Amino acid sequence: MKIKTICCIGAGYVGGPTMAVIAKQCPYIEVTVVDINESRIAAWNSKNLDELPIFEPGLADIVKETRGKNLFFSTDIDKAIDEAEMIFISVNTPTKTYGKGKGMAADLKYIELCARQIAKVAKQDKIVVEKSTLPVRTASAIKSILDNTGNGVKFQILSNPEFLAEGTAVQDLLNPDRVLIGGDTSTKEGEIAVQALVGIYSNWVPKDKILTTNVWSSELSKLTANAFLAQRVSSINAMSEICEKTGADIKEVSKAIGMDSRIGSKFLNASVGFGGSCFQKDILNLVYIAKSYGLNKVADYWEQVIIMNDHQKNRFSDNIVSTLYNTVSGKKITFLGWAFKKDTNDTRESPAIKVADNLLSEQAKIAVFDPKVTEERIYADLEYLNSRSPKENKDLLKVCLDPYEACKESHAIAILTEWDEFKNYNWKQVYDNMQKPAFIFDGRGILDKKTLEEIGFTYYKIGSGN
Ligand code: UDX
Ligand code: ADP
């Protein structure tokens, strides 16, 4: 079965780039990405490619090449479902904020709404692909809704978790380490559906990198991969605190352990904490699943990764307060970076949010500069925490469009995101315009200690005890 029409529900950080790359690599497939959010779809359709709703290196070029040819963005969800042979579900699955499993379980209401809409609209057999990260056994829930509320047409459910990382999404999609497809290969129809999706990826991914498993292994593999990656960050961050006490340097430790081929050198950068839409959500989800099976020791083990991450963020703001003579009240502190990592405008779970909230509670005045994050987003992130009124947030925190302006008259600079441009600033000029002593708290370890100390800064780097 050769798929010629695809619909993707959800035009976000996963759906947008994934479908753009499928459209580019498979010119014979017509791909329509739909969303209930009209302004998001309008942004995907905007003539000015700088106005795409998400920033990803290389994405605008692909959208330019494919949009209007075989890649379409629309709010007409029913039409796109009706016309598609294969439907990807890429809607958000945030942590529940209410009811049973509040603060831990994934909220599946958006997924269920999609399933019901597909069931209502579909008049021909469809293959439905779960792209969003989901709790194990969600596929069977989707199948039950589709089979019981549909128009009698047949559905095959596949799990095809996304492993792209933001900031490198296009490269990750073009050259994936692996593509994982879970399906019910015990039936002929299931096997046909799996092969249909294999057929799409094999247009550009070598066959030996396309793994097929049962649906539940595929769903659990996604949670496991993210839990392992997050655990690595929490592990190195735990060691960073020991480094600071002992005089060791976490960069040297990372290099030394990373050369052991069993450990490997990637994902060993100490930081102010991990953020992003996946790590925390997926681990909480894993913890919830473990608890629901009575596996309390397993749950406690994984929960520690989150506890360590929260500690790292709090420790960073505590250090700023104690270094600035135990008070930051009324002092200007400059944040360079707000995004959860470089090369993205995404701020979900960004450590900057918690660090800012802690410092605002100490009545600091914060100036933020981020090359890609909007003022609107920054205030929305703070308002979501509900720690103080929106007016108080706006009075205490200002967003600047120029980094030098943001640093002017500041008592301290905190590096929250590892944007490359920060390395090349004129740090002498920054220093001259700051209050003295001028402090830098480098939460990403990207600046050069020697150069900054020669200029006159008091420089603190995460994980460095010297
Ligand atoms: C992650 C997974 O990598 C990806 O496979 C999955 O599909 C989604 O979740 P993402 O959250 O986009 O991707 O970015 P990632 O590069 O994994 O970084 C997550 C967080 O960990 C960021 O805040 C990053 O700054 C932090 N991090 C990462 C570190 O602090 N140190 C590291 O060494 C690596
Ligand atoms: P992700 O990082 O998983 O892609 P995003 O929040 O960036 O998450 O994107 C998810 C998108 O799914 C949002 O743009 C949201 O409007 C959209 N969405 C959620 N529910 C539905 C639905 N029932 N139908 C269509 N789109 C939906």
Side-chain angles (χ1 to χ4, degrees):
M1 181 182 182
K2 196 166 177 176
I3 298 294
K4 298 212 182 59
T5 44
I6 288 177
C7 159
C8 172
I9 307 180
Y13 284 88
V14 171
T18 309
M19 291 304 125
V21 167
I22 290 182
K24 176 182 158 61
Q25 303 297 67
C26 313
Y28 65 92
I29 301 181
E30 188 173 306
V31 181
T32 306
V33 189
V34 292
D35 203 296
I36 37 175
N37 182 334
E38 287 180 14
S39 62
R40 204 162 209 185
I41 290 297
W44 279 112
N45 282 323
S46 70
K47 285 214 170 62
N48 182 352
L49 291 166
D50 288 338
E51 287 170 11
L52 294 183
I54 69 172
F55 169 73
E56 269 299 333
L59 180 61
D61 290 340
I62 297 181
V63 171
K64 189 174 168 200
E65 183 186 328
T66 51
R67 198 176 58 187
K69 291 195 186 106
N70 67 328
L71 176 66
F72 302 92
F73 295 93
S74 163
T75 49
D76 194 344
I77 302 177
D78 285 358
K79 180 167 179 279
I81 291 175
D82 182 35
E83 290 174 356
E85 297 160 292
M86 183 176 271
I87 300 163
F88 287 80
I89 304 184
S90 298
V91 301
N92 36 336
T93 50
T95 305
K96 270 184 92 173
T97 52
Y98 55 89
K100 194 159 179 271
K102 178 181 170 183
M104 301 203 92
D107 191 339
L108 297 180
K109 73 176 171 207
Y110 304 106
I111 296 281
E112 179 165 344
L113 281 171
C114 286
R116 289 188 185 276
Q117 191 159 6
I118 295 168
K120 189 179 77 181
V121 173
K123 294 192 262 338
Q124 280 132 20
D125 295 356
K126 308 268 179 209
I127 300 170
V128 176
V129 185
E130 302 175 342
K131 202 83 195 105
S132 317
T133 312
L134 294 167
V136 185
R137 295 201 164 257
T138 305
S140 52
I142 297 179
K143 184 153 179 53
S144 164
I145 292 169
L146 290 171
D147 289 347
N148 289 299
T149 58
N151 305 314
V153 301
K154 290 212 173 65
F155 294 100
Q156 283 300 321
I157 320 292
L158 303 179
S159 160
N160 174 218
E162 189 48 72
F163 293 108
L164 67 83
E166 289 174 30
T168 52
V170 170
Q171 277 317 311
D172 294 345
L173 285 161
L174 289 172
N175 305 300
D177 286 347
R178 77 321 206 170
V179 167
L180 183 56
I181 299 172
D184 179 10
T185 46
S186 64
T187 65
K188 193 165 144 256
E189 294 80 9
E191 180 60 28
I192 290 171
V194 167
Q195 289 312 320
L197 188 52
V198 170
I200 294 175
Y201 284 108
S202 52
N203 281 299
W204 77 98
V205 180
K207 273 263 164 58
D208 60 345
K209 289 193 173 179
I210 305 178
L211 297 185
T212 56
T213 63
N214 78 34
V215 178
W216 302 298
S217 299
S218 168
E219 289 176 333
L220 187 60
S221 298
K222 169 73 191 227
L223 293 184
T224 310
N226 277 344
F228 270 56
L229 290 168
Q231 180 204 43
R232 248 172 110 85
V233 178
S234 274
S235 297
I236 206 73
N237 282 345
M239 301 318 292
S240 76
E241 191 170 9
I242 299 188
C243 286
E244 288 166 30
K245 296 282 180 234
T246 56
D249 188 312
I250 197 66
K251 289 232 155 144
E252 292 177 349
V253 174
S254 294
K255 186 167 182 196
I257 65 164
M259 286 173 77
D260 184 326
S261 60
R262 292 168 303 176
I263 296 173
S265 61
K266 291 182 185 162
F267 243 77
L268 287 177
N269 291 321
S271 66
V272 53
F274 60 73
S277 67
C278 285
F279 283 180
Q280 172 156 319
K281 180 187 79 177
D282 288 355
I283 291 181
L284 288 173
N285 197 352
L286 196 60
V287 169
Y288 184 73
I289 292 169
K291 279 193 180 151
S292 65
Y293 286 107
L295 308 176
N296 293 327
K297 291 278 186 281
V298 176
D300 291 348
Y301 175 78
W302 286 110
E303 194 167 15
Q304 203 58 39
V305 174
I306 304 280
I307 292 170
M308 185 61 224
N309 197 47
D310 289 339
H311 170 65
Q312 190 77 349
K313 292 183 264 188
N314 292 331
R315 186 167 92 70
F316 188 74
S317 51
D318 287 349
N319 185 33
I320 294 178
V321 177
S322 64
T323 308
L324 294 184
Y325 316 107
N326 288 317
T327 176
V328 289
S329 176
K331 290 182 183 168
K332 179 175 174 182
I333 298 175
T334 303
F335 275 32
L336 293 181
W338 190 267
F340 81 96
K341 64 186 282 196
K342 73 172 181 178
D343 292 338
T344 178
N345 60 347
D346 194 353
T347 64
R348 286 176 288 180
E349 303 296 341
S350 177
I353 304 169
K354 180 67 180 154
V355 173
D357 190 52
N358 290 346
L359 294 173
L360 293 176
S361 295
E362 294 288 334
Q363 297 178 348
K365 290 187 168 162
I366 299 181
V368 182
F369 169 76
D370 186 288
K372 290 288 173 197
V373 180
T374 62
E375 177 172 325
E376 197 188 359
R377 182 71 260 154
I378 292 172
Y379 287 129
D381 288 338
L382 283 173
E383 276 171 35
Y384 186 75
L385 297 181
N386 234 337
S387 303
R388 60 196 72 73
S389 71
K391 182 178 177 309
E392 282 173 286
N393 282 331
K394 286 195 172 130
D395 286 345
L396 289 171
L397 183 143
K398 303 285 175 207
V399 180
C400 302
L401 296 175
D402 176 72
Y404 294 94
E405 194 55 42
C407 295
K408 216 177 222 165
E409 303 293 328
S410 196
H411 288 261
I413 293 171
I415 311 274
L416 274 305
T417 313
E418 73 281 22
W419 286 101
D420 288 333
E421 67 173 65
F422 298 164
K423 295 179 197 163
N424 303 319
Y425 284 174
N426 183 339
W427 285 105
K428 172 81 175 80
Q429 184 186 329
V430 171
Y431 177 80
D432 288 343
N433 290 320
M434 281 178 69
Q435 305 274 355
K436 307 294 170 339
F439 295 93
I440 296 187
F441 297 89
D442 187 348
R444 298 287 183 167
I446 54 168
L447 300 180
D448 183 53
K449 178 183 168 74
K450 192 162 164 276
T451 315
L452 293 169
E453 286 182 347
E454 275 168 14
I455 292 172
F457 283 106
T458 306
Y459 176 72
Y460 162 87
K461 182 188 281 207
I462 203 107
S464 173
N466 296 307

